[in-house]
C-alpha cells in the first residue's frame, strides 16, 4: 500500500553534531525558531513543550498488559525475521509498536546490541507515544500518519541525540486503520538510502499478512473483486485512497469513508457525489459483489477527477501470501449493475463492470485479449507490470501490441481517443480506487456501533469541560441531541444547583435544561418546578436506578396519566421516550429525559442513553462538589476580609473583591489607622487557590495588620512578613513544602500632615497614582522579591500626594490574563483612571467594567483611596531644648491652643499628658525635643526626641517615689505608643474628644 512520502522540507540532519542542535537549544530556551527545522519536527517540539515534557527527564511508561501475540505481532514476526537477516551484523534496531506506541517486538542486526543498550531500547512493553516520549520515530509516525525520519538533535529526549530512525505506520489494508508502526533505529552515521526502501517493503509485507488474517467472508469478497477486475474502466489505473495523504487530509478521508460505510450499510447501488469542506467533489460509486460462497457485498470506489488519471492503482496484489485469492474467480451476481451517475459526469462514460468468464479470466466490451490475459489499454508511459499467476491474473498491464507503441501513438481503435463504441479510452477517465468493501448487514451494525462509539467519544470531550452544574447538564443535552434524541430535558434539584445534596430529590426537581432540534415545543420551561406522578417513566427510573424505555408514548399509560392536557400537546411532536436517572456515587442528582420525534427508541438506544447519563452524572457531581467547596472557600475568604472601614479622615476609600471564575484564591486588602493621623493601605496575594490559600491569606493579613499597628515602616513590615512566610513553609506538617508557596504584597502609609506616601512592595504590581489634574502615573517603586524567599531587602519610596489625589492598589488578577498583553492592560487602566472627578466608588466600578477580564482566572482585589490633607490650622508644633524650665512654658502654650480650638474640657488631661511626656523626654531622651498637637477626630499629643530609648509602662509599688508617669498617661488617653523615626522616636497619646 503506497503512502505519501515525507514532507518536502529541509531534512535538518545533525549527523555531525550540528544542524538543528543549536536550533533545538534555542527552542528549549524559549527563543523563536522559524527556519532550519522541518515543520513536522518543529510542530512535535511545540506539542512536547505544551505537554510540559522535559528533554532530560523522560521516563517512559511500561505496560505489562501488552499483547505479545496480537494480530500485528502475528503478521510482523516473519517479516522482522527477514529484516534481521537483511541487516545482520549492523547496528540497526528493528521494532514494531502498536497503534498506541507500545513496542511489541524487537530485533537487532547485531544480537550483541541487546546486552549494551538500555532496557527501553531492548525490552518490549515501553510506550513511545509522543505525549510521553517526546519527538521520536514511533510517536511522530503515529502523529503524522506517514513515513517519518528523525535525526539526532531532532529527538526531544537528550538520550536519543546520537541516534536516528525511520518509521512507517502499518495499516489494515481493508479499513485503512493504523494497526501499528514499523521503526528502524540506527546510529546517526549509518544513513543508507536502502533503509527507506526496506521499511516500505517490510510494511507492505506486514500489511499483506494482516489482510490474510481477515475473515473468510471478507477475503472471499475481496478475491471476487480483485480477480473479476471490478473496474476495468479504471480500477487498476486508479489511485488508492490512502495514497492521497497530501491530496486528501485526514478529515476529508474520514468523510469519504463515513459516506462509503453508509452506502454499504444501506445496500445502495449507484453513485453519490460528496462535497468536501474545501469545495472539491468526489464521486463514490457502489458496485455489488457476490462471492462464490454466496456472500453478497458492496464495493465502494472513489472516482477522483483531476491529474490522477492513468496513475497505477495501488491495491496490494496478495499473490504470495493469499493463496485463497488465487483460486478461479466466480461469476458476479450482476454483469452490469445499474449505476445512476450525474448527467455529463466523466465517470458516466467509463466502461461497464467487467465480468468473469467461465475460465476465470475477465472480459469487457471491446476487449481483444484472451481469457485470463490483460484487459483494457494502458497509457504508454506506464511500465509493464509483472503478471501474477494465471489463476490470479488481473487486468493490470498493457497488451503486447501496446508495448510496441510510441508514447505519441494512439491505441488501436482509439481514433480520437474513443473506443469502437464511442467511449473514452481508459486513460482519459478520472482515476478511481477502492475505498471500502463489505456486507450491508454487517455494515449497518458496524455503522450504528461506530456512531455510538463516536457519540460516546464526543461525550467524553464535550461533557464536563467546566465545573458549573448547569453548564454540564447543558453539555449532556447538546451531545445527545441530535446524536441520540431529538429533544432532551434535564431536571435537577435546587440543592444540587447550589452544590449540596438534596434531602428529597424527587420532590425538589426543577426543570433545568430544555434542548432540541427546534424550539417552541410545549415542554415545561426552564426554572419551573416539575412534579412527576408515581407512574411516570421519570419517577420509575429514579426509583429503580435504571433507564426506562417507552418506545411508543401513545401507549404509555403512566406517562399519559401524568397530565393529559400537556401530554396530548407533546404527542403531536414526540413519539418515544427514554428516562434515565442521574446517579453518581450513590447520590441522586436528577433525571434526564430523551425524546425522539421520528421512529421509536430501541434497547441499544437505552443502553447508550444510560452510558451518556452515567458519564454526565459523574461530571455533574464533580461540578456539584466543586460548587460546594467553592462556596465554602468563598465564604471563608470573605469572612477573613475586612467587613467595614475604620473611621478616619486621611483618605476616602472604596474597595472591591472579585473571586476567580474557576476557583477562589488568596487576595486581600486592608485599611489600617496608624498613629499621627496616618493611614496604612495594604493589598496582597497568596500564591495558589482553594481553602489553603484562603486560610493562609487570613494568617498573613492578621500578621500584616499587627506589624503595621506597631508603627513599623513599610519596608520593615514586609521584612517581618517575609520571615513569617518562610517560617510557615518550614513548619509545613507533611514536610513537602505544600503549605505556603509564597505571596506578594504592597504596603503604603499616607501622612495627611505632610501630604506624602511611603510605599514598599514585595513582588506585587505597582500602584497607580491619579493626580488632581487627571494625570495617571505608576511610581517607579522597587519591585522587591515575593514574600517567602528570605534574605533579600525591601526598599521604601516616598511619593508626594497633593490634596485630592487618588491612590489605586490592586492585585495581579486585574491586569494579568493569558489572552491579554500586560502593557496594553496597564494603558487601559490608565485611561479608566484618568477621571479625577469620580468618587472612589465610581472609580472601582469603572475599573472592573473596563479593565477586569470578562472571565477572571485569578482573584481581583482593588483598593481606591482619595487622599485628604490635614488643615494646617489644626496642627500646633513647638521645639524646645533639654531644659526642665521649658516644660511649663510649652504646657501653657498648649493650653491656650486647645482653648482656641474649643477643647477646654480636654485641656486638663492634655496638659497632664504633655507635662509627663516632655519631662520624660528631657530626663531620658536627647535634644532636639519636638512637641506636636494634631486636632482631628481625636486630639493627638506627640513628643519626639533624638533618642531611641523607649519608655515602658509599669505599675509602681506603694513605696516608690516615681514610675507613675506613663501609668497616668495610659489612664488619661484612649491609646498611646511609640513610633520610631530614622533618628529618634515619637511618644504619642490619643485623647477621645467625645469622652471629654
Amino acid at each position: 500500500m503506497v503512502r505519501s512520502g515525507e514532507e518536502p522540507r529541509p531534512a535538518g540532519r545533525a549527523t555531525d553534531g550540528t544542524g538543528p542542535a543549536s536550533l533545538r537549544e534555542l527552542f528549549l530556551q524559549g527563543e523563536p525558531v522559524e527556519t532550519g527545522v522541518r515543520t513536522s519536527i518543529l510542530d512535535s517540539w511545540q506539542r512536547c513543550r505544551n505537554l510540559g515534557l522535559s528533554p532530560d527527564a523522560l521516563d517512559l511508561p511500561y505496560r505489562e498488559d501488552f499483547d505479545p501475540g496480537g494480530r500485528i505481532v502475528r503478521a510482523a514476526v516473519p517479516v522482522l525475521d527477514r529484516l534481521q537477516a537483511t541487516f545482520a551484523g549492523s547496528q540497526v534496531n528493528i521494532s514494531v509498536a502498536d497503534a498506541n506506541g507500545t513496542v511489541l517486538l524487537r530485533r537487532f542486526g547485531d544480537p550483541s546490541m541487546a546486552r549494551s543498550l538500555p532496557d527501553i531500547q531492548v525490552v518490549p512493553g515501553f510506550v513511545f507515544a509522543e505525549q510521553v516520549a517526546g519527538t521520536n520515530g514511533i510517536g511522530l509516525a503515529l502523529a503524522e500518519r506517514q513515513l517519518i525520519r528523525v535525526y539526532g538533535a531532532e529527538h526531544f529526549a537528550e538520550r536519543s541525540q546520537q541516534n536516528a530512525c525511520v518509521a512507517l505506520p502499518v495499516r489494515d489494508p481493508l479499513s485503512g486503520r493504523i494497526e501499528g508502526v514499523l521503526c528502524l533505529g540506527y546510529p546517526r552515521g549509518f544513513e543508507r538510502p536502502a533503509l527507506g526502501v526496506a521499511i516500505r517493503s517490510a510494511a507492505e509485507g506486514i500489511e499483506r499478512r494482516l489482510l490474510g488474517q481477515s475473515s473468510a467472508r471478507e477475503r472471499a469478497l475481496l478475491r471476487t473483486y480483485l480477480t473479476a477486475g471490478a473496474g476495468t474502466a479504471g480500477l487498476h489505473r486508479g489511485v488508492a485512497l490512502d495514497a492521497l495523504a497530501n491530496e486528501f487530509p485526514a478529515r476529508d478521508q474520514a468523510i469519504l469513508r463515513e459516506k462509503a460505510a453508509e452506502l454499504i450499510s444501506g445496500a445502495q447501488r449507484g453513485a453519490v457525489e460528496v462535497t468536501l469542506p474545501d469545495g472539491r467533489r468526489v464521486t463514490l460509486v457502489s458496485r455489488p459483489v457476490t462471492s462464490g460462497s454466496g456472500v453478497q457485498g458492496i464495493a465502494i470506489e472513489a472516482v477522483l477527477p483531476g491529474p490522477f488519471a492513468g496513475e497505477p492503482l495501488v491495491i496490494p496484489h496478495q499473490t504470495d501470501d493469499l493463496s485463497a485469492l488465487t483460486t478461479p474467480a466466480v461469476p458476479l451476481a450482476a454483469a452490469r449493475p445499474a449505476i445512476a451517475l450525474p448527467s455529463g459526469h466523466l465517470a458516466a462514460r467509463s466502461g461497464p463492470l467487467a465480468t468473469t468468464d467461465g475460465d476465470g479470466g475477465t472480459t469487457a466490451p471491446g476487449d481483444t485479449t484472451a481469457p485470463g490475459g490483460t484487459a483494457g489499454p494502458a497509457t504508454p508511459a506506464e511500465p509493464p507490470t509483472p503478471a501474477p499467476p494465471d489463476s490470479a491474473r488481473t487486468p493490470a498491464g498493457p497488451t503486447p501490441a501496446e508495448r510496441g507503441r510510441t508514447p505519441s501513438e494512439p491505441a488501436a481503435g482509439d481514433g480520437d481517443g474513443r473506443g469502437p463504441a464511442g467511449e473514452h479510452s481508459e486513460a482519459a477517465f478520472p482515476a478511481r480506487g477502492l475505498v471500502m468493501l463489505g456486507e450491508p448487514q454487517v455494515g449497518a451494525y458496524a455503522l450504528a456501533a461506530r456512531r455510538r462509539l463516536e457519540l460516546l467519544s464526543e461525550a467524553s470531550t464535550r461533557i464536563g469541560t467546566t465545573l458549573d452544574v448547569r453548564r454540564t447538564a447543558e453539555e449532556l443535552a447538546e451531545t445527545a441531541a441530535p446524536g441520540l434524541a431529538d429533544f432532551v430535558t434535564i431536571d435537577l434539584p435546587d440543592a444540587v444547583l447550589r452544590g449540596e445534596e438534596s434531602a428529597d430529590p424527587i420532590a425538589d426537581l426543577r426543570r433545568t435544561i430544555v434542548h432540541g432540534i427546534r424550539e417552541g415545543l410545549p415542554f415545561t420551561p426552564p426554572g419551573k418546578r416539575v412534579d412527576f406522578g408515581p407512574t411516570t417513566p421519570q419517577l420509575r427510573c429514579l426509583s429503580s436506578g435504571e433507564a426506562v424505555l417507552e418506545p411508543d408514548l401513545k401507549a404509555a399509560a403512566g406517562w399519559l396519566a401524568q397530565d393529559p392536557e400537556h401530554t396530548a400537546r407533546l404527542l403531536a411532536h414526540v413519539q418515544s421516550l427514554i428516562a434515565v436517572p442521574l446517579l453518581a456515587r450513590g447520590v441522586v442528582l436528577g433525571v434526564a429525559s430523551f425524546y425522539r420525534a421520528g421512529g421509536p427508541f430501541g434497547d441499544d438506544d437505552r443502553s447508550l442513553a444510560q452510558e451518556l447519563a452515567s458519564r454526565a452524572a459523574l461530571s455533574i457531581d464533580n461540578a456539584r462538589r466543586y460548587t460546594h467547596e467553592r462556596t465554602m472557600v468563598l465564604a471563608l475568604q470573605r469572612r477573613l476580609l475586612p467587613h467595614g472601614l475604620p473611621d478616619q479622615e486621611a483618605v476616602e476609600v472604596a474597595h472591591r473583591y472579585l473571586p476567580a471564575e474557576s476557583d477562589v484564591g488568596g487576595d486581600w486588602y486592608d485599611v489600617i489607622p496608624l498613629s499621627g493621623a496616618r493611614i496604612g493601605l495594604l493589598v496582597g496575594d497568596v500564591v495558589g487557590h482553594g481553602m489553603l490559600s484562603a486560610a493562609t491569606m487570613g494568617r498573613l493579613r492578621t500578621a500584616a495588620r499587627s506589624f503595621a499597628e506597631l508603627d513599623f515602616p513599610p519596608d520593615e513590615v514586609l521584612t517581618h512578613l517575609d520571615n513569617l512566610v518562610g517560617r510557615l513553609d518550614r513548619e509545613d506538617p507533611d514536610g513537602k513544602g505544600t503549605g505556603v508557596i509564597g505571596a506578594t504584597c504592597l504596603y503604603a502609609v499616607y501622612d495627611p500632615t505632610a501630604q506624602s506616601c511611603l510605599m514598599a512592595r514585595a513582588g506585587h504590581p505597582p500602584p497607580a497614582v491619579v493626580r488632581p489634574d487627571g494625570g495617571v502615573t505608576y511610581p517607579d517603586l522597587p519591585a522587591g522579591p515575593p514574600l517567602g524567599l528570605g534574605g533579600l531587602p525591601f526598599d521604601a519610596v516616598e511619593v508626594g500626594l497633593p490634596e485630592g489625589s487618588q491612590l489605586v492598589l490592586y492585585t495581579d488578577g486585574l491586569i494579568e490574563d493569558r489572552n491579554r498583553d500586560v502593557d496594553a492592560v496597564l494603558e487601559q487602566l490608565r485611561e479608566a483612571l484618568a477621571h479625577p472627578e469620580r468618587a472612589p466608588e465610581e472609580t472601582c466600578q469603572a475599573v472592573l467594567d473596563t479593565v477586569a477580564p470578562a472571565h477572571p482566572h485569578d482573584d481581583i482585589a482593588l483598593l481606591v483611596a482619595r487622599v485628604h490633607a490635614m488643615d494646617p490650622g489644626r496642627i500646633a508644633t513647638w521645639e524646645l531644648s533639654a531644659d526642665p524650665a521649658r516644660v511649663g512654658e510649652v504646657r501653657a502654650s498648649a493650653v491656650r491652643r486647645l482653648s482656641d480650638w474649643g477643647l477646654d474640657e480636654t485641656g486638663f488631661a492634655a496638659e497632664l499628658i504633655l507635662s509627663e511626656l516632655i519631662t520624660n523626654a528631657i530626663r531620658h531622651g536627647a535634644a532636639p525635643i519636638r512637641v506636636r498637637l494634631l486636632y482631628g477626630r481625636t486630639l493627638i499629643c506627640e513628643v519626639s526626641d533624638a533618642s531611641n530609648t523607649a519608655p515602658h509602662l509599669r505599675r509602681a509599688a506603694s513605696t516608690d517615689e516615681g514610675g507613675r508617669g506613663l501609668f497616668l498617661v495610659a489612664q488619661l488617653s484612649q491609646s498611646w505608643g511609640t513610633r520610631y523615626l530614622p533618628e529618634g522616636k515619637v511618644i504619642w497619646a490619643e485623647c477621645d474628644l467625645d469622652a471629654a
Side-chain angles (χ1 to χ4, degrees), residues 90-104:
S90 70
Q91 296 296 304
V92 175
N93 182 343
I94 309 163
S95 59
V96 169
D98 64 14
N100 297 317
T102 303
V103 173
L104 306 177

Side-chain angles (χ1 to χ4, degrees), residues 118-448:
D119 287 346
I120 61 171
Q121 297 184 23
V122 176
V123 180
F126 284 97
V127 181
F128 282 79
E130 185 185 67
Q131 57 266 32
V132 294
T135 307
N136 69 92
I138 294 175
L140 194 52
L142 288 173
E144 297 288 337
R145 305 177 67 84
Q146 63 178 343
L147 179 70
I148 287 295
R149 297 178 185 268
V150 183
Y151 304 96
E154 290 180 339
H155 288 88
F156 194 78
E158 292 287 351
R159 61 167 176 268
S160 303
Q161 299 298 292
Q162 302 301 317
N163 302 325
C165 64
V166 56
L168 181 65
V170 177
R171 287 180 169 85
D172 184 316
L174 286 180
S175 68
R177 182 180 62 250
I178 292 179
E179 294 289 338
V181 177
L182 175 63
C183 182
L184 303 180
Y186 48 92
R188 285 194 320 193
F190 188 81
E191 179 62 27
R192 302 289 188 275
L195 290 173
V197 177
I199 196 170
R200 288 184 185 275
S201 176
E204 290 179 358
I206 297 175
E207 290 173 349
R208 286 195 297 271
R209 293 183 60 82
L210 285 173
L211 187 61
Q213 297 174 10
S214 301
S215 68
R217 299 171 69 93
E218 291 175 331
R219 293 167 59 193
L221 287 173
L222 184 60
R223 178 191 63 215
T224 303
Y225 180 83
L226 292 176
T227 37
T232 39
L235 167 63
H236 294 288
R237 311 182 63 76
V239 181
L241 192 61
D242 274 340
L244 301 177
N246 291 332
E247 183 67 19
F248 289 98
R251 177 190 59 180
D252 294 348
Q253 296 181 44
I255 293 173
L256 294 175
R257 289 195 176 99
E258 181 177 2
K259 189 60 180 178
E262 292 178 0
L263 292 174
I264 293 175
S265 64
Q268 301 178 27
R269 296 173 56 185
V272 175
E273 193 170 65
V274 180
T275 301
L276 299 177
D278 60 3
R280 289 185 296 175
R281 297 179 178 180
V282 177
T283 300
L284 296 182
V285 180
S286 66
R287 298 178 181 272
V289 180
T290 302
S291 70
S293 59
V295 178
Q296 296 183 350
I298 300 290
I300 307 297
E301 300 171 1
V303 180
L304 311 173
F308 298 103
E311 297 286 337
L313 173 70
V314 188
I315 288 180
H317 297 274
Q318 323 295 343
T319 56
D320 54 345
D321 288 344
L322 296 181
S323 58
L325 297 184
T326 62
T327 58
V330 296
L332 290 174
R336 184 166 184 170
I339 299 178
L341 293 173
S343 176
H345 196 284
L346 286 176
R349 298 194 293 271
S350 61
L353 176 67
T355 60
T356 57
D357 58 21
D359 295 329
T362 60
T363 60
D367 188 6
T368 60
T369 59
T374 58
T379 55
E382 180 181 349
T385 304
D390 291 341
S391 59
R393 195 176 298 271
T394 58
T399 63
E402 291 171 321
R403 292 193 184 98
R405 208 172 61 224
T406 63
S408 61
E409 295 175 354
D414 284 355
D416 60 353
R418 299 178 181 271
E423 299 289 333
H424 280 287
S425 67
E426 185 179 349
F429 299 131
R432 67 174 64 195
L434 179 65
V435 178
M436 190 173 293
L437 187 148
E439 300 176 68
Q441 297 83 1
V442 176
Y445 285 113
L447 182 63

Side-chain angles (χ1 to χ4, degrees), residues 25 122 450 526 664-665 712 828 885 939 945:
E25 293 302 321
V122 176
R450 180 167 62 83
V664 179
F712 292 141
Q828 190 178 6
L939 177 66
D945 66 82

Side-chain angles (χ1 to χ4, degrees), residues 61 129 157 184 188 241 292 382 411 427 597 618 628 654 693 758 782 896:
L184 303 180
R188 285 194 320 193
L241 192 61
E382 180 181 349
L618 285 174
H628 179 67
S693 295
L758 188 64
R896 288 193 298 271

